[in-house]
Amino acid sequence: MFEKLIDRYGPRLYGLCRKLCAGEWEAQDLYQETWLRAWKARDRLPEDPGPWLTRICVNLYRDSLRRKKRLRFLPFALGEETPGPLDLLAEEPEDRDGMADLHRAVEELPADQRLALILYYFCGKSVQDTAQALGMPEGTVKSRLARARSKLKGRLEDGG
């Protein structure tokens, strides 16, 4: 039964992981950790597991952001800066109509706004699904999206 879940939701879940993470290996870790957590909680499997899996993935991603934030303050954690989740898309040989600028601007958003924006625009989730995945009211998602759009507009206009 679990294999059917992986077959059905695996590609979409992996796509989300790739959009959230900086690199292939990090996306694979998040993907595998999401399925591991789902397996451990399989007795609580809801009737529609899609949003449930998305929420597990998003929560794991948030946890990793918190860990990275704590590591920044440790002296041994200083080193090369890793690329952000959307940097890989911006490294295409040609800058397609300023897409690199857009991806850099998205990367600079606060984590809460960036996550809502990625789920809504890059993953095509509805406001309701985004709110469910993030565990917050729809109004909060809408306000974060509005703030993110406003900041993006300002940054992109400033940059030319």
Side-chain angles (χ1 to χ4, degrees), residues 54-114:
T54 300
R55 183 143 187 191
I56 291 171
C57 182
V58 166
N59 286 340
L60 288 169
Y61 176 71
R62 283 178 168 169
D63 291 345
S64 73
L65 287 179
R66 280 191 284 273
R67 279 192 302 274
K68 285 179 185 176
K69 191 180 266 188
R70 279 194 306 256
L71 285 177
R72 268 193 234 152
F73 298 107
L74 299 175
F76 60 82
L78 298 175
E80 277 189 40
E81 189 174 314
T82 58
L86 300 173
D87 286 344
L88 298 175
L89 298 175
E91 290 175 1
E92 294 183 12
E94 53 192 61
D95 182 11
R96 295 194 180 114
D97 300 322
M99 289 304 287
D101 293 336
L102 172 64
H103 291 296
R104 274 192 294 279
V106 169
E107 229 358 88
E108 293 171 0
L109 290 172
D112 60 339
Q113 293 172 16
R114 184 177 62 240

